[in-house]
Amino acid sequence: MSKKATLDMPKKAVLDNTPSSDATSVRSRAMHLRPAELWQSAGPFAVFAALFILVAVLTPTFIGGGGLSILAVQAAPILLVALGQAMVLHVGSIDLSNAAVVVFSAIILAQTLGPFGAVAPLLCVAVMTLIGAVNGFLIAFGQVPSFALTLGTLGILQAASLVVSNATTVYATGNTELLDSLYGTALADLPEAFWLGVVVAAGLWALLRFTRTGQGMTAVGLNESGALFSGLRTRWLKVAAFALSGLLSGIAGVLVIAQGGAASSFGLGSDLLLPGIAAAIVGGTAITGGVTNPINIVFGALTVGLVPIGAAAVGITPQAQSLVYGLVIIIVVALTMNRNRAGAVK
């Protein structure tokens, strides 16, 4: 047996040096991974299809009355936030501040779109990317838990939004036509904003599959200590993940202004945190890190966008929608978490 083959074999098989041991190990891993693998490959689309059929049956006017377009409008900002959250989850962290970043981005854009025109969206997205990168830098180099740090950032950004907006609604008063195309019909009666999210999802899928940076992020999420000993720059990969979260949240803030023309600290976009996390997890992102398919997150976002419609169809009040999101997160994580790899569940 060659040295390379020996290194590639599972440790137990190398020690036993028997074909039966190797086969048993492979079967054991398959049994442990099967529920998660099935969910990650087919689960997101299956859940969306089931919910879509339920809504279509209970509300027949949904399809013929422009329901698909309305769903895409609702899902567009959720999709961008969920994709950013998924990249952070992919490296084994979490970002509790991304919804606050969306609101802050929208408020800044509403105030600057008139004076600065086309430069304003680019400026806002750049600032939000920087905020995300600072989060990642403090987490990676300061060794601060992501939950605690981004919770603190959430409070800071909420306070900043109140101060900058004077605790009122801020309206975009000029150059709003620059954003009109985002919610114009682009393809298949769905708005350009939704297709923008789909393109971003495809780009992130390619990043994770075909680039050293993406593969490094996967290694960090699967085994950060092993990635560090392999010579990967794990800290900077975390910074990159949080910067992507800030970038996509900043773009979601642009969509808020494109859709409503105004922003406030308590308005559109302020309630995206839980739906964003739910969409990422329903889309097959592993809460333990290292497993993400951005394409499936598109279906996760569509599913979450359908929740208010489906909830209303079965008689659930709007006030209970957060309960639905919470239950979805708990159930999906409980059913798909790979406890064999995670070891102790914390």
Side-chain angles (χ1 to χ4, degrees):
M1 182 180 293
S2 68
K3 183 177 179 181
K4 183 179 185 303
T6 301
L7 291 174
D8 289 341
M9 291 177 66
K11 183 177 181 181
K12 185 177 184 298
V14 172
L15 293 175
D16 291 344
N17 200 27
T18 61
S20 61
S21 175
D22 187 33
T24 301
S25 177
V26 171
R27 284 196 299 270
S28 176
R29 291 198 305 273
M31 290 177 64
H32 283 296
L33 292 175
R34 188 172 297 151
E37 287 180 341
L38 286 175
W39 174 262
Q40 290 148 12
S41 61
F45 176 75
V47 170
F48 167 68
L51 185 57
F52 183 83
I53 292 171
L54 175 65
V55 171
V57 170
L58 295 177
T59 313
T61 58
F62 173 72
I63 297 179
L68 286 175
S69 179
I70 294 172
L71 173 60
V73 168
Q74 293 177 342
I78 296 173
L79 175 55
L80 289 171
V81 171
L83 288 169
Q85 188 69 254
M87 297 306 294
V88 173
L89 290 171
H90 193 65
V91 296
S93 299
I94 192 168
D95 187 356
L96 299 180
S97 66
N98 55 5
V101 172
V102 174
V103 173
F104 192 54
S105 172
I107 290 173
I108 296 299
L109 180 59
Q111 294 178 327
T112 59
L113 186 59
F116 296 116
V119 176
L122 299 177
L123 178 63
C124 287
V125 171
V127 171
M128 302 311 136
T129 303
L130 179 61
I131 291 174
V134 170
N135 273 343
F137 185 87
L138 293 175
I139 289 165
F141 289 90
Q143 297 295 294
V144 182
S146 59
F147 182 93
L149 189 135
T150 57
L151 184 62
T153 306
L154 166 65
I156 292 171
L157 290 177
Q158 286 178 334
S161 296
L162 286 170
V163 171
V164 171
S165 65
N166 291 321
T168 61
T169 300
V170 180
Y171 294 90
T173 57
N175 295 316
T176 55
E177 69 279 359
L178 295 173
L179 306 178
D180 287 346
S181 64
L182 287 171
Y183 282 97
T185 299
L187 181 64
D189 292 330
L190 302 181
E192 184 178 304
F194 175 75
W195 290 113
L196 172 63
V198 173
V199 170
V200 171
L204 291 177
W205 178 85
L207 171 72
L208 293 177
R209 267 53 177 190
F210 303 119
T211 70
R212 294 183 64 181
T213 298
Q215 291 168 4
M217 288 179 176
T218 300
V220 171
L222 290 173
N223 187 343
E224 185 173 353
S225 297
L228 181 62
F229 286 127
S230 298
L232 292 176
R233 304 178 71 180
T234 58
R235 292 178 175 178
W236 287 110
L237 290 170
K238 282 189 173 184
V239 173
F242 277 91
L244 282 171
S245 180
L247 168 69
L248 297 178
S249 296
I251 297 174
V254 174
L255 297 188
V256 168
I257 297 302
Q259 183 179 356
S264 69
S265 58
F266 48 83
L268 186 63
S270 61
D271 58 348
L272 285 175
L273 177 59
L274 196 54
I277 295 174
I281 294 175
V282 171
T285 302
I287 197 73
T288 50
V291 179
T292 302
N293 185 342
I295 301 299
N296 275 341
I297 294 173
V298 175
F299 297 110
L302 288 170
T303 299
V304 170
L306 266 177
V307 166
I309 301 170
V314 298
I316 298 175
T317 63
Q319 292 79 7
Q321 288 174 15
S322 292
L323 173 63
V324 176
Y325 294 141
L327 288 174
V328 166
I329 293 173
I330 292 171
I331 292 170
V332 173
V333 171
L335 292 177
T336 63
M337 182 175 176
N338 182 7
R339 293 166 178 81
N340 185 52
R341 177 170 69 83
V345 178
K346 301 179 180 180

